[in-house]
Every structure is written in C-alpha cells, then in structure tokens.
C-alpha cells in the first residue's frame, strides 16, 4: 500500500535545501529543488482552499444565469463582459480574482457517481479500489509531515451527520492512501476541535508528558515496536499542536467583530472565516463544505445569498492578506442544474470556479449556448478539471502512480490535459 | 505463437463455445485446491527440487543462461512466473491462464529436436528425448502450477461429520509442532514464554475484549498453580464476555465495506444478538444459517439488521452488497471484482458472483399490507417461495439479471450456483432460495466456512492470520502452513463449529504464550509465530478497558455533547458510543491490527479526556482503602496496566507523587501517565 512519493514536495524541498539529500549545488536533487523553487509562486508551495458545495449548485442562480428563464437578473462584475447572478453582488465585486469554467461537461447527473467523479477525478469503476478525494491527495502530495497543525482540515457546514460512509462525505475519504492522509474534520466552525483543551492545565500536561517520555523510552527499548513509536509520535504532535500559538487558529472568536460580520453570521460564513485563519496559520489544505443544494426549488436563493456574503468576504480577505497569490481556491459541486425542467440534475453544461495560485484571474473560460443546455465553447471534462488543479498545485511534475494491492494505480486519469487557458 | 490447439487455453477472450471450458478448468482448479485443504498434507511440489530439474533437462537450452527465446527465462521460479514476450507463463492455480502449460500440454514445447547438423556429435550423446514432456514430467508441472503458492482450499469428500475432534491439548500440541517445524525451516527460533502479567493482559483482551479487575489481576499474578495459564484461558473462554467479544468481532465483519446508507440503522441489537448466540453455544454454521435466512421485523429479529445494513439507500434488499459482505465474512473470499467482470487473477467468474447473489432474489424488505386504516405495520424481511411456472417440470430455476454498470453481460440472467459447482441450482415449488444457500454454506461438507472462520479467529488472537488479509483467500495466497489451516478447520468442524473449543485450542498452545520482544534469533519482520505480534487495541476493547480500569459505566465515561449536537447526531444515529468507536476505528482500506492507525485527534482524546485526567470514584476508593502512597500506586498499576510496577517504576512514581502539592494531584498524574503509555493501548 505504499504511495509514492513517500516524501512530500514540501519535505523534499526542505531536505534538499538543507542538503540532507546530498544536495550540494549541481546535484540532481538540488537542481530539481531549484527548478521547483524558481517556478510559480515565488518558490512557496501553494496552499489549497476547497469550497465544496454538494447537491448540485444551480449555475443559473449563480455563475451562469440565463435571463430568458427569469430566475434572476445578470449583473455586471468587476470584470467588464462577465456577468453573474444578481444574488451574488459581493462575489461580483471580486470577479477580477476569479476564473469561471463555464463549459463543464461531465455527463453525470446522479449524485453518487457524480460525487465520485468530481471528488476524485475518476469514475468509480471498481468496488475494490477507492480513489482518494482531492483534499487527501493534495495532503499526501504537498503536506508537511512536520507541521504542527494538521495538513488537511475539513470544516463541515453541511448540516449532515458525520458518517464517513455517507456518500455526501465522500470528499473526505483518503481511499487507497490510508488513514494517515485522512482529514482532521470539524463539524462546527464555532466549536473548537474535540478534546482540544488540556484536561487539567497545559503546564500539567507538559509535565506529565515529560514523565511519560521516560516510560516510553524504556518501553521502546524493551519492546522495540513500531506501534509504540507511532503512538508516542502522535502524542508529541498533539502536544505540539496544543502548545502552539497556532492552535489559536481554530478559534474564530479571536477575529474582530466587523470581520466576522463581513463573512456573515451563518454556518457557512463562520466556516469560511475559520478556513482563512487556518490557511494563514499554515494548514496547507482546507476544505469548507456547504451542502444542501439538492433542493430543486426556489429555496436556492437564500442559500446563494449566504454563500455570496461569505465568499465575497473570503476572497477580499485572502487578497488583502496576500494569501490569494499562494492559495489555489476551488469552488465546485458535483454537477449543475437543468436550466429548464424545474432545475433537475444536469451534468452537461455547468460551471466551476478556480482562483488564486497558478490561475489566470478575471476570466471566463468556455461558454454555454443561449438556452444553457449545451456547451458552445471549450467543454471541460472532469479529468481536465483535475489535471488543471494538479498543475496549479504543481503536483503533476512527473507521472505519478501509487501501488495498491500490487497493482499500479494512476493518481490522475491518463492523458488528461490541463486547461491552459486558465493557467497563469 | 498461437497454434490452433493452444487457443482453448488462451486467456484472451475466445468464442462462447470454448469459453465455458476455460472457465471450468479455472474454477475446478480452485475447488481442488480448496478441497485438498481437508485431506492429509501432501508433500508440496517445489520449484527447485521438482520442477527445475525437468526444465534443466528439457528447456533451459533455449530458455536459460545462454538463450532466452521469447524473452522467457526458466531458471528461477520468479523469472518463470514473469514470463516472456507473450505474457505471464504461469497463473498460479490455473492451468488455463498461463502460456507455459498451454504449450506443454499439447507438446508444442519442448519442440522436436532441431535437425542435427552434426550427426556424429548427436550419436555420441545419450539418445535425445523426442519432443514434448513425459506424462510424469507433465504431472509434476501440473501439480506445481495448481499448488499455487500453497494449498489452502478444502474438499467435500473428506470434510466428514463423523470425524471426532482431537481435543484441546492434542490440537494445541499440533499447533506447536507445525509452528516449530516452520520456524526451523526459516532458520528462526521461538521466543521464551511471556511473563505472567503480559500473558494475563493478552488473554483477557483477546478473549474477553477487556482487562482484568485489580483483584483478578493480583489473584492470577500471585497464584503458584503451574497450570494457571490454561485454567485462565478456560475460565475466560467459558465466560459470557467471550461471547460479547466475538459478537463485536462478527458484528464488524458483517458491516458493508462502504456504506451506501444516509441513515444507517443502529446495529447494536445485532451485536447483542450475535453475542447471545455465541454465549448460548449455538454452532457457528447455525448462526450463519439464521443470519442468511432471517425474516421478520428488525425489532423481533435483530438478524434482519444484517440485511438492512447491507441494503440499498431506499431500504430495499441489495443482493450485491449481501454477496460482497457475505462472501468475505463467511467464506473468506473477496469477489467484488467479479461483480462487473471475471476476476483477472483468481479464476472467479461473473457467474460465481451472481450465482451467489441470485439466492437473495426472492427476498424483500417491506411493510405487509395494511389491514385497517389506523394500523401501520412495520416493514418486514420476507422471502417469496419459488413458484413453478410450468407444472410439467419439477425444477424451478433461480436467476438474477446483471444490472447496468457491470462491464460485461449487462442484462443477462445468471443462474444461482454453489461455488465450485458448475450446475445451476434448481429449486422446487415452494422452496425458499436462501434456505438452499444457507444449507450449502453451513453443510458439514462445505470447506469454505470452517477454513475462513478458523483463520479469522487465529488472526484475532495472533494479530496475523495463517492467510492474510484474514478475509481474503486467493489462489495465490501462501498460507503460513496449509496443513495447520486444514487441521484447525477440521477440528472446528468436528467440534460442532464451537468457538470456545477453537479459542481453547489456540490459547493452550505455547505459541500463544510467547513473548513479543525481537531477539537475536528472531528479529524477522515475519516472526513465523515464534514471537507474538504486538496488537493495537480495537475500539470496542479500548472503550471497555478504559471504563473497567476506572470502574465506571460507559454512560458515565462517554462525554456528553452539547444538546444541539446530540440532537443532530441522534438524527443520523451516530451515538456517543458509536462516535467513540469511530474515532478509534482503523478506517484504512486494509486494516491491520498490528499497525498503529491513530493520529492527533486520538492522541488528544487520550490526553485530554476527563476520564484520563481524573480517575474519580475509583481513586477515592483506593485512597480510603490504602494509607500508603506506595499501595495506591501499585493498585493503579494493577487497575490500568494489569501488573504491579517494577521497583524502579514504583520508586520513580512515588517520588513524583510526594513532590506534588497534594497526593491526589500526584495520583491523577499517575493515572494519566498509565492511560497514555503505549503499554496501555497495545497488547504486547
């Protein structure tokens, strides 16, 4: 079940730059590291913010309104020539940061298979092989094993249970990567993680850990088991997190009131605010889940308004804190909605959104025809969408595969090309 | 390449007329393998000893050191398996799927000797054999291919009901003999027996899923009875907690691998039902029969939950999920692949998968018709009996259509079949198909159930099966010792599928008592059961262990959630209890009890939970009972680690306690440390 590489890019860069890999100038390792440092975002490995809106967001109410249906008006944005729904005035003001992919053509209009496809880039063709969801794969590829904070945090704002078997939570499954790359899941942005406070005091905890260390050392000497080492390492990482000033990242109370208000006093707003705090403190991959889009009705409007306030504030905030340039933002769902026919599931012409690191800002790639039923220009398939994300995160330098049950498994659909039009 | 006669043995798709023949060669081969599991161990054919001499004499001149015709090198087993230009030369256990046999069987290889250029030179040598191998040589190659890497599969012929069990001590001795033999073959030594405290904790955790009380621990440690270890195993195996523990084990085995349900039912009644069956000494084949043929509402018959948890999102019965889960849990077979296409390496065909699924065809979960407008009867699991459409023919076919989404044969009706048997199962009027399936699985001559079951229990107790993963028997599985596996399966069957008997047989062996520390003569990653493997506590055992250690109930132990959260969780049936289990469950695709799966969230739960920070009433009781801090510390060790501190530890902890502002502060530190030690969450 080994997944290659064992060493993530972040680790690799660290090791290479520290000379651990024998990286004297001119060595292949140093050259590769140099090459990696030179390209893209000023040498900093990009972070990744995933805004996942499962259920099938109606593109007609959001990114690609068609006025002929009278769902909503199309309003101007900060980018001349690109208009979006009147329910998204805040996002419209940030359009110059975004790239719309209006030609999504994924041909899958059932939740479960569509979620499989849009969370992993693969159709689930085999009951014996589960592909990792995007965030888990990114965590394995660009995470930092020395990070005080978890490498992948999911902030649930789905209003659903936390059963990992629920297909709506598919997006948090590490698949063949194994639990090591499973996310740290928070169900409520306003509550800190479970067991996040020392049972007594931090000082007591530290002194107990010091005593425990001696016992652990003796036990490991006597028993020499890998399991004991793993146990102690997890404890140390937990203490490092609890003891770190970065632990405050989990607390949105620390934010000034006006900031909290700008994101919106709803679950989604709070989740987005927490996401920004986590990115800022060094969590490389953060995902916010906003579910409930499977409603087939006009109830979509209030949800779009809530999403708009949070997303508008988030994009502005990320930009003002210079985080946007180093963070790839992905806003997507598993499918869209039929422009007519009472908003039924539709996978043939819909929209996803990218922004930030590695992405050309202020553009709309692809076009649907006037009735919104077909892609007229630049259709994008699911594998192309994933190839673009891999490229923006720079995890596609070499063809990668993992070995699962003795069989080589590609981590990206073979031959899938990134969408060059959208890459910076 | 591809002379006419070889086509029938080709692995690529051939026309429908020849296909069944290929299929049955493969399926029969597997059945034969399974079969041989219950007969006496035959001397295994070995490549170096038996096969290589034949190759050396007849094949290596073209496929050896000098030449590798077709890129095929037959000098080692590995290179032979690898094959040459035209693909794999050998598919373990399958005569139909490898090139080598297809050429040998029709005497295409070795070829007729070339026209000898130098007739004189040829005359000087012994008479060269004509083309083709002799019948004896072919038999050796055939046996080598069919052996796979080892026979594990059982037989109908010998799985007799008349066989008497050998008994606990005799079986335990055989276990040790077989392991000793394997150890010496591998050049490894057996570790000494573990000390009493280690053995005590191991036996309690493996057999009861919990740890001893302070009193139980000190009684055992202080006992001078030379027979105390066996007596302990017997006492624990006889207790109700053994049933509870195995109830957990089987409950988890019956859960689907991926959950399709938005609101999965609460399966605790199923867990309890399984425990009660085992406590009542119900034979395992009978329990399996009851699970497979379950009917009624989930309230009146918890076995129905097996169908619901493996059902479709809309509550309907899912023959596919039941087949996947049932085959893994009961038969040790993973046939998921064969759902959509023939298994690429294991010889399983789509017909095998759907042949099993077809038995669930007549089963439904639905509410019976309403009798009065006010009454709303709960949904029930029920099975419609077979009805004869054609009164002239006695037999009623049972079949199921392959649904959309499969790669091959979509829409085709697949008849019900028993594994390894090519004839479709025909029912009679009023038969219930599930009865036929349950009878086959639970029958005394069904080799799969007993073999898969003993392997799972062995894996549970040793942290590693005789075949691994424990629910994945494949043609190319190399069991640790096929003979031992066969023998245990026979013993389990002969004992009447009795878990208590099986656990005693294993528990009485020396192998089960061994220390886990690597030492010079056995540092191998695979210690060949010469050392015990260190296991990580399963979530259920962890919960019981923590509550028993501080002497509280689960309700007292599990932290309550804020009201809103609780309400939401109740909606999705994820109770506090299930949340705890989920937190500590190894959710990796291939869980391994010896791998530590936990990270920061679990560490924080162990570190910061109220229970590990304040031992509460238990500690108060200890303080009342004992004046001396030394005694309190000793009892905390007994309560949490099931042993007394060694003198060094006792001294160190005592000093620490004395330095704290109050003794209670010091004791709470001790409690925390003991709970957070690797020793606590591992079973050495």
């Amino acid at each position: 079940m080994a997944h290659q590489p064992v060493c993530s890019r972040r680790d690799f860069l660290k090791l290479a730059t520290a000379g651990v890999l024998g990286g004297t100038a001119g060595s292949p390792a140093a050259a590769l590291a140099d090459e990696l440092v030179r390209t893209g975002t000023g040498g900093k490995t990009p972070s990744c913010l995933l805004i996942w809106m499962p259920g099938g967001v109606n593109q007609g109410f959001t990114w690609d309104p068609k006025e002929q249906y009278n769902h909503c008006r199309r309003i101007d944005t900060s980018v001349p020539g690109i208009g979006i729904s009147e329910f998204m005035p805040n996002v419209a003001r940030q359009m110059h940061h975004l790239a719309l992919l209006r030609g999504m053509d994924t041909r899958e209009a059932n939740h479960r298979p569509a979620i499989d496809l849009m969370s992993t880039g693969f159709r689930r063709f085999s009951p014996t092989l589960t592909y990792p969801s995007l965030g888990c794969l990114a965590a394995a590829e660009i995470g930092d094993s020395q990070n005080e904070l978890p490498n992948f945090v999911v902030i649930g704002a789905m209003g659903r249970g936390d059963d990992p078997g629920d297909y709506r939570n598919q997006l948090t499954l590490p698949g063949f990567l194994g639990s090591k790359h499973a996310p740290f899941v928070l169900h409520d942005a306003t509550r800190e993680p479970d067991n996040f406070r020392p049972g007594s005091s931090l000082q007591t905890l530290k002194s107990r850990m010091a005593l425990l260390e001696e016992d652990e050392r003796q036990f490991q000497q006597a028993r020499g088991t890998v399991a004991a080492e793993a146990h102690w390492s997890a404890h140390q990482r937990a203490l490092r997190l609890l003891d770190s000033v970065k632990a405050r990242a989990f607390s949105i109370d620390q934010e000034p009131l006006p900031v909290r208000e700008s994101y919106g006093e709803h679950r989604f707003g709070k989740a987005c605010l927490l996401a920004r705090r986590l990115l800022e403190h060094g969590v490389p991959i953060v995902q916010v889940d906003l579910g409930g889009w499977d409603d087939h009705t006009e109830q979509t409007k209030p949800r779009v308004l809530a999403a708009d306030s949070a997303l508008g504030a988030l994009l502005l905030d990320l930009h003002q804190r210079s985080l946007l340039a180093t963070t790839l933002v992905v806003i997507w769902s598993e499918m869209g909605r039929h422009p007519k026919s009472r908003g039924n599931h539709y996978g043939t012409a819909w929209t996803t959104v990218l922004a930030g690191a590695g992405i050309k800002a202020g553009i709309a790639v692809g076009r649907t025809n006037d009735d919104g039923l077909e892609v007229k220009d630049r259709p994008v398939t699911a594998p192309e969408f994933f190839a673009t994300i891999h490229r923006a995160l720079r995890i596609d330098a070499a063809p990668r595969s993992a070995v699962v049950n003795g069989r080589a498994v590609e981590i990206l659909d073979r031959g899938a090309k990134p969408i060059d039009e959208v890459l910076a | 390449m591809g002379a006419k006669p070889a086509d029938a043995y080709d692995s690529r798709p051939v026309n429908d007329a020849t296909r069944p023949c290929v299929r049955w060669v493969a399926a029969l081969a597997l059945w034969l393998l399974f079969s041989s599991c219950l007969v006496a161990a035959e001397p295994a054919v070995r490549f170096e000893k038996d096969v290589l001499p034949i190759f050396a004499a007849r094949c290596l001149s073209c496929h050896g050191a000098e030449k590798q015709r077709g890129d095929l090198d037959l000098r080692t087993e590995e290179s032979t398996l690898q094959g040459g230009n035209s693909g794999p030369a050998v598919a373990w256990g399958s005569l139909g799927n490898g090139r080598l046999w297809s050429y040998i069987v029709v005497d295409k290889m070795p070829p007729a000797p070339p026209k000898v250029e130098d007739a004189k030179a040829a005359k000087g040598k012994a008479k060269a054999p004509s083309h083709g191998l002799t019948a004896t040589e072919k038999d050796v190659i055939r046996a080598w291919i069919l052996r796979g890497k080892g026979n594990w599969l059982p037989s109908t012929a010998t799985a007799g009901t008349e066989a008497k069990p050998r008994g606990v001590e005799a079986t335990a001795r055989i276990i040790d003999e077989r392991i000793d033999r394997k150890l010496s073959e591998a050049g490894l030594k057996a570790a000494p027996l573990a000390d009493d405290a280690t053995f005590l904790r191991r036996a309690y955790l493996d057999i009861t899923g919990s740890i001893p009380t302070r009193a139980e621990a000190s009684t055992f440690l202080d006992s001078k009875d030379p027979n105390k270890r066996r007596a302990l195993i017997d006492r624990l195996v006889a207790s109700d907690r053994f049933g509870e523990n195995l109830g957990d084990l089987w409950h988890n085995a019956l859960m689907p691998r991926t959950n399709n349900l938005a609101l999965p039912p609460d399966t605790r009644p199923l867990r309890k039902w399984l425990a009660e069956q085992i406590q009542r000494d119900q034979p395992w084949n009978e329990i399996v029969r009851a699970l497979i043929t379950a009917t009624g509402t989930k309230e009146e018959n918890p076995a129905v939950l097996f169908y619901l948890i493996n059902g479709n999102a809309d509550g309907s019965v899912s023959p596919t999920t039941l087949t996947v889960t049932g085959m893994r849990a009961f038969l040790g077979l993973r046939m998921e692949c064969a759902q959509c296409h023939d298994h690429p390496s294991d010889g399983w065909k789509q017909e095998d998968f759907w042949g099993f699924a077809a038995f669930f065809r007549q089963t439904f979960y639905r509410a019976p018709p309403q009798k009065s407008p006010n009454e709303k009867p709960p949904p029930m699991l029920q099975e419609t009996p077979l009805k004869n459409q054609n009164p002239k023919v006695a037999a009623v076919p049972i079949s199921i259509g392959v649904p959309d989404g499969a790669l091959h044969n979509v829409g085709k009706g697949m008849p019900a079949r028993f594994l390894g048997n090519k004839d479709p199962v025909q029912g009679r009027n009023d038969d219930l198909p599930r009865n036929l399936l349950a009878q086959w699985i639970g029958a005394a001559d069904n080799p799969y159930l007993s073999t898969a079951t003993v392997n799972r229990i062995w894996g549970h107790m040793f942290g590693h099966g005789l075949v691994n993963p424990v629910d994945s028997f494949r043609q190319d599985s190399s069991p640790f010792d096929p003979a031992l596996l066969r023998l245990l399966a026979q013993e389990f069957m002969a004992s009447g599928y009795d878990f208590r008997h099986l656990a005693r047989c294993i528990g009485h062996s020396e192998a089960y008592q061994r220390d886990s520390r690597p030492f010079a003569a056995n540092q191998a990653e695979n210690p060949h059961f010469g050392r015990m493997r260190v296991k990580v506590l399963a979530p259920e055992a962890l919960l019981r262990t923590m509550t028993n250690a501080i002497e509280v109930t689960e309700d007292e132990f599990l932290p309550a959630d804020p009201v809103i959260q609780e309400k939401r969780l109740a909606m999705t049936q994820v109770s506090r209890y299930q949340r705890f289990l989920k937190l500590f469950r190894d959710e990796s695709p291939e869980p391994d009890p010896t791998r530590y799966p936990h990270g920061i969230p679990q560490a924080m739960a162990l570190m910061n939970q109220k229970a590990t920070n304040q031992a509460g009433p238990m500690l108060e009781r200890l303080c009342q009972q004992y004046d001396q801090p030394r005694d309190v510390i000793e009892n905390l060790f007994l309560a949490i680690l099931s042993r007394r501190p060694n003198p060094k530890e006792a001294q160190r902890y005592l000093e620490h306690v004395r330095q704290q502002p109050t003794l209670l502060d010091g004791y709470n530190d001790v409690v925390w440390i003991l709970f957070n030690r690797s020793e606590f969450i591992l079973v050495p």
Side-chain angles (χ1 to χ4, degrees), chain A residues 1 112 124-128 130 147-150 159-168 174-180 183-184 187-188 191 193-200 204-205 207-212 214-216 218-220 222-232 234-235 237-239 241-242 267 405 407, chain B residues 195 198 257-262 264 334 336-337 339-340 407 515-518 534 536 559 561-562 565 568-569 571-572 574 579 582-583 586-590 594-609 612-614 646 648-649 652-653 656 665 668-669 672-679 681-682 684:
Chain A
M1 191 107 326
R112 174 101 200 212
R124 185 196 188 87
F125 65 85
S126 154
T128 57
T130 351
N147 203 341
E148 292 152 285
L149 296 172
R160 296 276 182 183
D162 58 357
D163 177 4
D166 186 336
Y167 71 84
R168 291 171 200 85
F176 62 69
L177 293 175
S179 59
K180 189 178 161 198
F184 190 95
H187 296 289
D188 185 345
R191 283 179 66 205
D194 288 345
N195 302 302
F196 205 58
R197 295 285 153 131
S200 26
T204 311
L205 182 63
S207 74
R208 286 171 173 179
M209 281 289 281
L211 277 164
L212 178 61
E214 174 63 18
D215 289 332
E216 288 301 289
Q218 283 175 10
F219 185 80
Q220 279 174 34
R223 294 279 167 188
T225 82
V226 181
E229 281 166 37
H231 171 79
W232 178 238
H235 264 61
R237 277 182 287 144
L239 181 65
L241 170 59
L242 297 175
R267 283 171 65 87
N405 289 337
R407 88 193 234 215
Chain B
D195 57 45
T198 304
R257 289 253 297 162
T258 43
N259 183 9
N260 297 322
L261 311 177
R334 293 195 191 171
E336 291 94 315
C337 288
Q339 191 175 328
C340 306
L407 293 184
D515 197 58
S516 62
R517 274 169 264 232
V534 177
V536 182
D561 280 296
Q565 186 79 354
R568 197 156 64 79
L569 290 174
M571 234 172 64
T572 56
V574 183
R579 252 160 77 90
K582 189 172 98 59
L583 178 63
D586 180 356
E587 278 173 345
S588 51
E590 202 66 83
T594 66
R595 185 180 55 211
Y596 192 80
H598 306 318
I600 295 175
Q602 293 79 10
M604 292 201 308
L606 289 169
M607 289 160 83
N608 296 341
Q609 196 144 129
T612 60
N613 281 274
Q614 278 126 34
N646 64 40
K648 257 191 184 163
E649 280 174 326
R652 223 159 63 79
Y653 280 67
H656 175 80
D665 288 338
N668 276 325
D669 285 351
W672 186 93
I673 292 169
L674 297 182
F675 269 125
N676 281 280
R677 286 171 76 149
S678 321
E679 190 184 348
I681 199 165
L682 303 179

Side-chain angles (χ1 to χ4, degrees), chain A residues 360-371:
Chain A
K360 216 175 263 177
I363 57 167
V365 174
R367 202 151 50 90
T368 49
N369 61 6
D370 288 344
D371 58 11

Side-chain angles (χ1 to χ4, degrees), chain B residues 280-342:
Chain B
R280 289 210 307 261
D281 287 321
Q282 195 72 0
W284 177 234
N285 60 344
E286 292 299 326
I287 302 175
V288 170
R289 203 171 286 185
L291 279 165
I292 291 177
T293 59
T295 54
T297 66
K298 66 178 194 289
E299 286 76 19
E300 65 192 24
N301 181 6
V304 166
L305 285 164
F306 169 55
Y307 279 79
L308 301 191
I309 194 77
N310 286 290
N312 291 318
D314 60 4
S316 59
V317 169
S318 166
T320 35
T321 313
L322 286 164
T323 300
V324 171
T325 308
M327 282 206 177
R328 284 174 83 114
F330 305 136
L331 310 181
L333 299 172
R334 293 195 191 171
M335 226 180 267
E336 291 94 315
C337 288
Q339 191 175 328
C340 306
H341 55 82
D342 294 347

Side-chain angles (χ1 to χ4, degrees), chain B residues 59-69 72-75:
Chain B
C59 316
L60 292 192
S61 56
C62 295
H63 302 286
E66 286 172 37
K67 284 180 266 178
Q68 286 108 40
R69 287 261 167 93
L72 177 65
D73 181 349
L74 297 176
R75 282 173 297 167

Side-chain angles (χ1 to χ4, degrees), chain A residues 289-302:
Chain A
D289 293 344
L290 174 66
W293 297 91
D294 187 16
D295 46 19
H296 299 258
T297 69
E298 292 277 332
Q299 286 162 3
T300 311
K301 181 181 165 183

Side-chain angles (χ1 to χ4, degrees), chain A residues 41-70:
Chain A
T41 55
K44 194 176 178 298
T45 305
S47 301
C48 185
L49 171 60
L50 305 170
I51 309 280
W52 169 240
M53 302 161 112
V57 172
N58 193 331
Q59 71 281 358
F61 283 74
T62 50
W63 309 108
D64 195 10
K66 301 288 178 192
E67 286 188 320
Q68 67 184 84
Y69 299 119
N70 292 322

